[in-house]
Amino acid sequence: MNQIVSTRNLSKRYGNVFSVNEVNLSVCEGDIYGFLGPNGAGKTTTLKMLLGLVRPTGGKVKIFGKELEANRRYILQNIGSLIESPSNYEHLTGLENMRVVQRLRDVPDKNVTEALKMVRLEKQKDKKVAQYSLGMKQRLGIAMAMLSFPKLLILDEPTNGLDPAGIGEMRELIKSLPQRYGMTILLSSHLLSEIEQMATSVGIIHNGTMLFQGSMEKLQARSRPAIRIKTQDHAMARELLASRGFFPKVQEDSLLLENITDSQVAQVNRDLVAADIDVLRIEEQTRSLESIFLDLTGKGNSL
Amino acid sequence: MLQQCISAEWIKLRRSYLWIVMMSLPLVSVCIGCANFAMNQGVLKNEWYSLWSQVSLFYGEFFFPILIAICSAYLCRLEHANRNWNMIMTAPVSVGSLFIAKVAVISVLLLLVQGFFFILYVAGGMLIGLQADLPPELPGWLFRGWIAAVAIGVLQLALSVRIRSFAAPVGIGLCMTFLGLGMYVMNLGLIFPHSLLTAGMGVLSQEGLGLGSSFLFYVMNLLYIVVISAGVMYRMRSTDVVS
Ligand SMILES: Nc1ncnc2c1ncn2[C@@H]1O[C@H](COP(=O)(O)OP(=O)(O)OP(=O)(O)O)[C@@H](O)[C@H]1O
Ligand SMILES: [Mg+2]
């Protein structure tokens, strides 16, 4: 498939600390790419490097197959973006803010009307932005990003500040963009649930390093159930299983077997009992994406 | 592309209160100047020339440089607020045209201010009851004052792009005004933007610059405008956007 964004060993070092470390991002045409990571993971820094707002200390950025450095204006012409919190001029109305972007991007009036309609701000367009609520500012920011109906839309935490209804609405809007306008979407979030509901591809970043990248299905495949076996003698059970070619993970007081078929479970049970190791429990453990994410990032706190 | 940027800048100036500053500071200068003139008519006998010496002193040595600093700081504060650098620096225009647009806008604003100052000066003189013709040097003073003001504007824009605070660049501007006055007095008037304003507007000496100095005056202003702008554009291109 056509690669819209690709980075090679993209890095950003502040002092001695790498905020982004050798990231190879790959976003294909028509994707909704969810860029996932906890606070401070390096999402914003990476996205800023894609837009030329931050200069990499290492690596290369290619967008639409062209080097960013040498084709800055062509590339920016075809990207809409909202980075960190929304940009706006508070003393101006929503419409006047749209006009500023319209002038800078040289697009027709109908784009302004359509973008405002898409985020449902037509009625408030003549209000000063200073009087907007946080959610309205966020929606204006998204309208400004979409104004030129670009090939690539980069949204940094787009549902920030929206209420649940607003989040749902924004999700539907974002999901509709690839079919309706042929856009490719790159969005970041620290909420797995959000990405899960929107994204077709996922990249997980933590401490500046990419931990996972691939399709949503590939990530979900990791959530296949595992079998947890609890026995009286941990060490012996492990030895026995190892001799049968199973290498379970030790989890608290039990052993965890992944990718195992039903008949294999039965066999393992039989072997354990035959070896005089009492089997106390055999249970299925469904892994949520959340736990996979926690595993990957090694973070126990909320994401 | 530059035109797009300039027209975006004009939209940003809507609903702003900058015009109050642009009108009140010249008004205050002229009022103080006229009052001074009226009270010292015993020594100030040279009609329009004497009035100019008073009015331009307060304007050129204090209020105008402050006005320039405030306008520049305002144009940049628009971008410092609400992470607007993120937005304009990702617009498909060259970084240079973003800055040049600001220079263009401030030049037009300062031209308007000079025009308004001219009207106030004439009105003040007529109210006082001056009979003679206006000095023939007047257009030259106003024009050269504008040129020097643009150079100061570029310098102030450079400071304000760099410094996020509104007040700090204005304060620095004020210090430079006094420094400029000192340099003018020490006959180094043609090497510092704020002294160029003093010289160009005929604030302390109304004799005119003479052909050689006049040439140097324009060259120096142009040099300041070009070199500082190039420096700012280079810096904007090569450093990270802080938002
Ligand atoms: N200008 C800077 N100077 C020094 N360190 C920085 C700078 N900008 C970002 N960092 C550091 O880089 C790391 C990544 O920051 P970044 O903003 O990219 O995280 P993020 O994934 O967007 O987090 P969040 O979810 O909180 O927005 C952080 O540790 C941050 O402190
Ligand atoms: Mg961030």
Side-chain angles (χ1 to χ4, degrees):
Chain A
M1 238 196 302
N2 224 342
Q3 280 216 323
I4 296 287
V5 181
S6 69
T7 69
R8 215 184 61 232
N9 297 337
L10 189 64
S11 306
K12 179 69 184 181
R13 185 169 41 80
Y14 288 111
N16 301 322
V17 185
F18 278 93
S19 291
V20 174
N21 197 357
E22 313 216 322
V23 164
N24 297 303
L25 196 76
S26 162
V27 181
C28 294
E29 190 162 9
D31 264 0
I32 297 182
Y33 185 104
F35 196 31
L36 194 58
N39 289 135
K43 302 180 295 289
T44 302
T45 308
T46 305
L47 298 183
K48 279 184 162 184
M49 286 194 282
L50 300 183
L51 292 161
L53 291 172
V54 164
R55 300 169 73 76
T57 48
K60 284 262 172 291
V61 175
K62 259 192 179 179
I63 298 181
F64 311 126
K66 293 181 196 299
E67 293 276 344
L68 177 62
E69 292 264 322
N71 302 280
R72 178 179 173 272
R73 274 181 52 208
Y74 167 81
I75 288 171
L76 291 179
Q77 187 97 50
N78 293 290
I79 303 187
S81 61
L82 191 167
I83 297 294
E84 302 167 289
S85 56
S87 305
N88 56 60
Y89 301 97
E90 291 205 328
H91 64 292
L92 300 178
T93 66
L95 182 62
E96 285 162 344
N97 271 280
M98 296 292 279
R99 294 264 181 247
V100 171
V101 186
Q102 185 192 11
R103 293 295 144 81
L104 287 173
R105 295 196 165 258
D106 201 16
V107 294
D109 278 337
K110 70 168 183 9
N111 287 30
V112 176
T113 327
E114 186 162 354
L116 282 172
K117 207 167 87 193
M118 286 171 81
V119 297
R120 292 203 308 103
L121 272 183
E122 322 102 293
K123 292 213 182 65
Q124 280 105 349
K125 68 178 194 299
D126 294 318
K127 224 182 196 177
K128 273 197 203 174
V129 172
Q131 293 154 8
Y132 275 20
S133 69
L134 188 59
M136 285 158 75
K137 284 180 190 165
Q138 185 73 18
R139 283 188 283 170
L140 178 65
I142 290 173
M144 285 158 86
M146 281 196 312
L147 186 62
S148 58
F149 292 87
K151 280 200 258 182
L152 173 64
L153 191 61
I154 297 182
L155 302 173
D156 193 12
E157 317 223 359
T159 51
N160 237 349
L162 297 178
D163 57 20
I167 292 177
E169 221 174 89
M170 193 56 62
R171 193 190 302 138
E172 292 315 309
L173 173 65
I174 290 172
K175 277 162 77 173
S176 73
L177 294 173
Q179 302 102 313
R180 264 168 82 187
Y181 302 101
M183 287 185 195
T184 301
I185 319 267
L186 169 50
L187 58 91
S188 80
S189 175
H190 55 266
L191 294 173
L192 178 77
S193 56
E194 193 171 280
I195 297 290
E196 206 181 343
Q197 292 177 64
M198 282 192 265
T200 54
S201 291
V202 189
I204 297 180
I205 187 172
H206 181 51
N207 284 339
T209 312
M210 202 70 140
L211 299 176
F212 171 88
Q213 179 167 246
S215 67
M216 195 69 210
E217 290 92 67
K218 202 170 133 200
L219 183 65
Q220 273 158 346
R222 293 204 176 195
S223 65
R224 261 199 309 242
I227 297 297
R228 180 207 289 275
I229 299 180
K230 192 172 170 186
T231 62
Q232 213 150 36
D233 194 330
H234 232 50
M236 269 178 69
R238 268 184 82 184
E239 235 167 80
L240 182 101
L241 286 172
S243 71
R244 302 285 191 277
F246 294 109
F247 300 95
K249 269 201 254 172
V250 183
Q251 211 180 48
E252 285 154 43
D253 59 346
S254 49
L255 303 172
L256 205 64
L257 288 157
E258 281 162 346
N259 293 325
I260 183 169
T261 63
D262 286 354
S263 60
Q264 282 174 320
V265 177
Q267 185 62 47
V268 164
N269 182 37
R270 230 176 292 138
D271 290 351
L272 285 170
V273 175
D276 241 0
I277 305 169
D278 288 344
V279 177
L280 305 176
R281 275 184 187 54
I282 297 184
E283 50 193 19
E284 190 179 68
Q285 189 191 8
T286 318
R287 301 193 59 204
S288 62
L289 274 182
E290 202 77 30
S291 79
I292 294 170
F293 188 37
L294 290 177
D295 258 15
L296 282 169
T297 58
K299 272 212 152 178
N301 51 0
S302 102
L303 291 161
Chain B
M1 185 168 61
L2 182 57
Q3 211 185 341
Q4 285 164 239
C5 294
I6 293 175
S7 113
E9 288 295 322
W10 282 124
I11 300 177
K12 294 179 205 169
L13 287 181
R14 279 188 211 165
R15 291 169 208 277
S16 94
Y17 295 107
L18 205 54
W19 61 272
I20 297 182
V21 175
M22 288 168 55
M23 298 186 82
S24 61
L25 293 189
L27 187 66
V28 171
S29 318
V30 171
C31 286
I32 301 177
C34 285
N36 231 12
F37 176 79
M39 286 187 292
N40 297 292
Q41 270 178 336
V43 278
L44 298 170
K45 291 190 182 312
N46 213 351
E47 292 246 322
W48 288 104
Y49 289 94
S50 298
L51 180 61
W52 182 260
S53 74
Q54 296 306 300
V55 165
S56 70
L57 181 66
F58 291 100
Y59 181 68
E61 295 309 320
F62 189 73
F63 289 108
F64 196 30
I66 295 213
L67 184 155
I68 301 169
I70 291 176
C71 288
S72 305
Y74 180 81
L75 288 184
C76 294
R77 193 183 64 166
L78 286 173
E79 316 304 346
H80 289 313
N82 293 323
R83 307 180 189 273
N84 285 333
W85 286 118
N86 278 352
M87 195 247 289
I88 64 168
M89 293 292 280
T90 53
V93 293
S94 71
V95 173
S97 55
L98 289 171
F99 184 72
I100 301 286
K102 294 217 179 275
V103 173
V105 166
I106 201 134
S107 305
V108 174
L109 295 181
L110 296 177
L111 187 65
L112 293 175
V113 171
Q114 283 292 77
F116 184 60
F117 176 69
F118 163 74
I119 294 170
L120 289 175
Y121 166 69
V122 174
M126 292 199 317
L127 278 178
I128 290 170
L130 298 181
Q131 304 292 328
D133 289 337
L134 285 172
E137 296 92 337
L138 188 56
W141 291 335
L142 289 168
F143 179 72
R144 282 194 297 273
W146 176 61
I147 295 292
V150 172
I152 296 173
V154 172
L155 179 60
Q156 289 289 344
L157 279 176
L159 290 172
S160 290
V161 165
R162 184 72 212 273
I163 306 170
R164 293 180 77 85
S165 141
F166 188 90
V170 177
I172 295 173
L174 194 59
C175 295
M176 286 195 293
T177 308
F178 297 131
L179 185 64
L181 192 59
M183 291 182 74
Y184 180 86
V185 173
M186 291 188 324
N187 268 327
L188 297 169
L190 288 175
I191 63 167
F192 194 67
H194 292 71
S195 330
L196 286 168
L197 182 65
T198 307
M201 282 194 79
V203 175
L204 298 178
S205 151
Q206 299 176 345
E207 276 164 27
L209 288 165
L211 204 58
S213 300
S214 188
F215 179 70
L216 191 60
F217 171 85
Y218 288 110
V219 168
M220 286 307 291
N221 278 304
L222 196 67
L223 205 65
Y224 271 111
I225 293 171
V226 171
V227 170
I228 296 173
S229 299
V232 174
M233 287 188 255
Y234 174 76
R235 196 178 171 279
M236 282 171 78
R237 255 183 238 122
S238 56
T239 56
D240 292 353
V241 172
V242 183
S243 56

